Amino acid sequence: MKEETKNSKGGTKSGRLTGKNYLGYTLCDMANNSAFSVISAYLVIYCSDILGIRGGVITAIMMGARIWDAINDPIMGFLVQNKKPGKNGKYRPFLRIGGYPLALSVVLIFLHVSGSTLVSTIWVAVTYILYGMLYTVLLVPYGSLASVMTTKDDERSNLSICRALGGGIGSLPTLLFPIFVMNAGADGNQLNEKNLLIGMVIIAVCMIIFYTLGFYFTSENVVPVESKEKTRVLDTVKRIVKDRAFVTMSLIGCLLIAIDQYTNTVNLYLFKDYFGNSAMNTIYLIISYIPKLTIIFFANKIIRSIGKKEICVIGISISAVFSFLTFILHVGQDSVVIFLILSFFINCGVAFLAMEIWSMAADIIDHQEWVNGRREEASNYAIFTFMRKIGQTLAALAPWFVGLVGYDSSLAGTGISQGDTVLNGMYSVATFVPFLLYVAVLILFLLYPLDKKTSEQMHRELEGMRNGQT
């Protein structure tokens, strides 16, 4: 596929991306993650402790949303893929079309409309599914936007880092929320419903501002030569399932978000009940972000010298080892500092993958173009995004696991202990499940074919293909 560099109005633009372009792209993922991280961390405990919804029902809602995503995500991807660019480009308009309604939906999820558990369950189910649909309307075009902002490898790498940085900064509300919302119960560890809703309103306003700035600060500079043949769902799926790089990295993306969200959710219960100190969850979140933010400053240097796959294999091995140590040591309730130290090393190991997942998502889209001669970033990205949503569903098993060991949500905020058997069971499910998932990620990375040598060959040959060389 040949490409020519143009702006969205048809003129030629040969300059490099500006600081404003990078800022705009960063702000969009700040908006994405500011809501996403809080919903991932607090929706389950809000449903169980405030609305009284059973863990199995919560999991059913999450799975129902993902079943709908199986239909909704690919449809959105193929609609965007076949859309013709307008005066504002092909992808940028969706920052407002999808972003503004998405901001409203994150407030509606936490709006307590009734004292009836049945009505509350229906409301949460409908608003959560709506949130997922709108997230897709925004996320697929946003993820595809980087590929039409520049064709330069270093600039694409910088955009990936900007997205990771924006996601990290956007997740900061999860650092502040434990102090803000976990302060209403008799023991100081009950969720404060009113403060949670106020927090979501503030986040929604910030989202609208960030999406607006993102729309005006970004630009579509690369217009691919359009194929006369439209992208077809079955043809694309057939090509993808035969591509080991795409399949393995999609599964890795799925498990990565499952680990992150499962850990964030179950740790709310763990710090609240097992360690008896919800404020420590803020310290844990800070510890988890420090390695990711540090890596930003030397990520490109490591990639050039070692390779993405190679460094990820080393990192995930470290995470698996320390995750296993956390489980077998079974840190006591009065040893939260030891738990936090072990958690720091777990997060050091997974940090590189967490920061480079979007860069590797771009790699597998490039790999599809390399092996099939067709570039279908929107449809490919939609499928990759859908797999990450499957990971969210796996993470939704957190309340089921906690309930399986006997957790009683009616005791939340009463000052009555869950009991030693339940507390020890909560610790086990909070530490052993992530260990198993890290092992699964490590196995998938060993199967992932894009090592440093292969990736370099792929990008050299793609450059030749795009320049019309044989």
Side-chain angles (χ1 to χ4, degrees), residues 5-7 10-14:
T5 304
K6 299 179 179 179
N7 61 25
T12 299
K13 180 179 179 180
S14 58

Side-chain angles (χ1 to χ4, degrees), residues 20-21 23-25 27-28 92 95-96 100 206-218:
K20 187 172 74 171
N21 297 145
L23 176 60
Y25 199 71
L27 288 173
C28 288
R92 287 173 60 240
L95 297 179
R96 294 190 294 185
Y100 297 167
C206 292
M207 289 172 67
I208 291 173
I209 295 172
F210 291 162
Y211 287 135
T212 302
L213 293 175
F215 173 80
Y216 286 109
F217 286 179
T218 57

Side-chain angles (χ1 to χ4, degrees), residues 228-239:
K228 295 181 179 180
E229 181 183 352
K230 284 196 171 185
T231 300
R232 302 184 185 279
V233 178
L234 290 180
D235 292 340
T236 299
V237 172
K238 287 178 182 178
R239 286 190 289 269

